[in-house]
Amino acid sequence: MTITKNKQTDITIRRMAKAAFPDKRVTSIKELTEGMCNVTYLLGLDDKTESILKISSKDNQGRMSNEVNLMEAEVRAMELVKESGLLKVADIYYYDCSKTICDSDYFFMEKLDGDNYILIKENLSQKEIAQLNFEIGQISKRLTDIRENQFGFLGDTERFDSLYEFICRMLCNLIIDARKKDIALGIDICKLPEKLAQNKACFDEVTHATLVHWDMWEGNVFVKEGHVAGVIDWERAMWGEAYMDDRFRRHTRNQHFLEGYGQTAFSSSELTRITWYDIILYLTMMIEVFYRQYDDDGQYRWAKGMLEQTLSGI
């Protein structure tokens, strides 16, 4: 368990459910342990329906600087996607940020039909995996139709007029976070902003922001009857560029996803931006190990190796 998981007693959970569903009674409570940040429960109700309860962390302990009002961001992102009608997201039944029953923000949402992609992937054929990756690419492309004039985190009020300014902020936040914990990154991280400045023109080619999930790995995708049934965990959503999402990273990018997205080749400027998004992700994965206080440093060591490979290309 990470320090950001704010577990609640059954008594408190039942009180939360009573506020959300006054005419229903909770018949079962089961913690879902797959996530690494928030605590999540599956509730059974006496009308034979189920609901997912998601509870944010109690405070900013374990949070990094690029993680701003994550639950608010998630709710807003899901609302935007639902309004667009571009893809299936869970309905949010009840959202409470008053901290009167629970000492954290929380919401109840629809339980999506289907299975978590990461949990069934090893039992799927290569053809089935290819189809799912193609559909995830299509989803990433659809999200580019949800646009904004400025860039920034959905949970933050600060907006940036240029993508370059936003990426600078993300990178500088990571530098600050690493210094606070005196984390050994194996590089002179203070030189990265100067290197980024040399590539400013590449970012200036992007003139408007689109909605980015940022973390659309297999664990956040639901599958039903061989097709994508929905996407969860929108808490890191942002107004950015589509290439910022996890599926464009060097360790995940694949031909079927790119075909679904509708782009299998990239310009020199696009590849430069993609490389910087790689750097930001691998730095994030390294640093969060120490903020979340993970039980082992496997993620840190893996991300450190990926970062070293990526930096050799800039």
Side-chain angles (χ1 to χ4, degrees):
M1 185 182 79
T2 64
I3 62 173
T4 56
K5 288 201 172 189
N6 186 17
K7 293 188 178 186
Q8 299 295 313
T9 66
D10 284 4
I11 293 175
T12 300
I13 291 172
R14 290 178 187 277
R15 289 181 61 207
M16 295 159 73
K18 186 66 175 177
F21 311 109
D23 298 325
K24 300 181 182 182
R25 181 175 58 84
V26 174
T27 57
S28 63
I29 301 172
K30 177 185 178 183
E31 183 183 354
L32 304 178
T33 58
E34 290 86 359
M36 297 297 291
C37 186
N38 298 310
V39 64
T40 307
Y41 298 93
L42 172 64
L43 273 61
L45 302 170
D46 61 359
D47 63 352
K48 308 302 181 183
T49 62
E50 295 178 308
S51 180
I52 299 293
L53 166 62
K54 190 167 185 178
I55 306 171
S56 71
S57 58
K58 182 178 180 179
D59 49 39
N60 288 327
Q61 186 179 15
R63 295 288 194 197
M64 296 167 61
S65 300
N66 287 330
E67 297 175 320
V68 185
N69 298 324
L70 295 185
M71 185 151 284
E72 179 183 331
E74 181 165 18
V75 170
R76 179 58 182 145
M78 294 170 71
E79 289 174 343
L80 285 167
V81 175
K82 188 174 182 62
E83 290 167 4
S84 75
L86 294 172
L87 66 138
K88 172 63 180 175
V89 291
D91 288 333
I92 295 178
Y93 299 136
Y94 186 82
Y95 173 43
D96 184 4
C97 55
S98 69
K99 297 180 175 61
T100 54
I101 300 176
C102 175
D103 56 5
S104 298
D105 295 353
Y106 66 90
F107 64 74
F108 287 89
M109 70 178 181
E110 172 189 9
K111 179 181 180 292
L112 291 177
D113 288 336
D115 300 299
N116 192 300
Y117 185 8
I118 194 66
L119 298 180
I120 64 171
K121 186 175 181 180
E122 65 178 18
N123 297 319
L124 299 177
S125 68
Q126 289 303 307
K127 182 178 180 180
E128 290 171 319
I129 291 173
Q131 176 63 32
L132 292 171
N133 288 340
F134 182 86
E135 292 180 12
I136 294 170
Q138 290 181 313
I139 289 170
S140 289
K141 186 63 174 180
R142 288 179 203 142
L143 289 179
T144 64
D145 288 335
I146 305 176
R147 298 187 173 192
E148 183 57 79
N149 293 325
Q150 294 179 301
F151 303 85
F153 301 112
L154 246 68
D156 198 1
T157 56
E158 185 175 17
R159 292 289 180 264
F160 301 87
D161 290 328
S162 72
L163 177 59
Y164 173 75
E165 290 176 304
F166 182 37
I167 299 306
C168 281
R169 172 58 58 84
M170 293 183 74
L171 182 60
C172 288
N173 281 345
L174 288 167
I175 293 172
I176 292 169
D177 288 344
R179 284 175 171 171
K180 284 180 179 177
K181 296 285 186 180
D182 195 24
I183 299 171
L185 299 176
I187 60 170
D188 186 352
I189 194 172
C190 296
K191 291 183 178 180
L192 289 180
E194 181 180 345
K195 288 182 175 291
L196 178 64
Q198 295 170 3
N199 298 138
K200 180 179 182 297
C202 297
F203 292 93
D204 288 341
E205 293 180 0
V206 182
T207 57
H208 65 268
T210 62
L211 184 64
V212 181
H213 183 284
W214 201 77
D215 195 21
M216 208 179 298
W217 74 295
E218 291 96 334
N220 287 334
V221 175
F222 270 68
V223 176
K224 182 180 180 182
E225 297 176 353
H227 297 282
V228 174
V231 178
I232 62 171
D233 284 0
W234 293 81
E235 60 197 17
R236 291 176 176 79
M238 60 184 69
W239 292 114
E241 180 183 24
Y243 304 151
M244 297 172 76
D245 193 79
D246 174 84
R247 296 296 88 184
F248 285 96
R249 302 290 60 79
R250 65 183 298 154
H251 67 283
T252 59
R253 195 162 64 243
N254 64 80
Q255 187 70 14
H256 297 111
F257 167 82
L258 295 178
E259 289 173 355
Y261 183 78
Q263 183 177 359
T264 57
F266 300 89
S267 69
S268 174
S269 291
E270 289 170 335
L271 288 172
T272 296
R273 297 198 300 274
I274 286 171
T275 296
W276 278 105
Y277 304 150
D278 286 345
I279 291 169
I280 286 174
L281 176 67
Y282 299 137
L283 283 172
T284 300
M285 294 181 70
M286 291 172 68
I287 295 167
E288 77 175 4
V289 169
F290 299 91
Y291 276 76
R292 300 278 196 275
Q293 297 181 15
Y294 289 168
D295 293 333
D296 66 72
D297 66 349
Q299 176 176 299
Y300 164 83
R301 288 184 284 105
W302 177 86
K304 186 172 184 288
M306 293 302 298
L307 178 64
E308 291 170 352
Q309 293 177 39
T310 305
L311 287 172
S312 66
I314 64 169

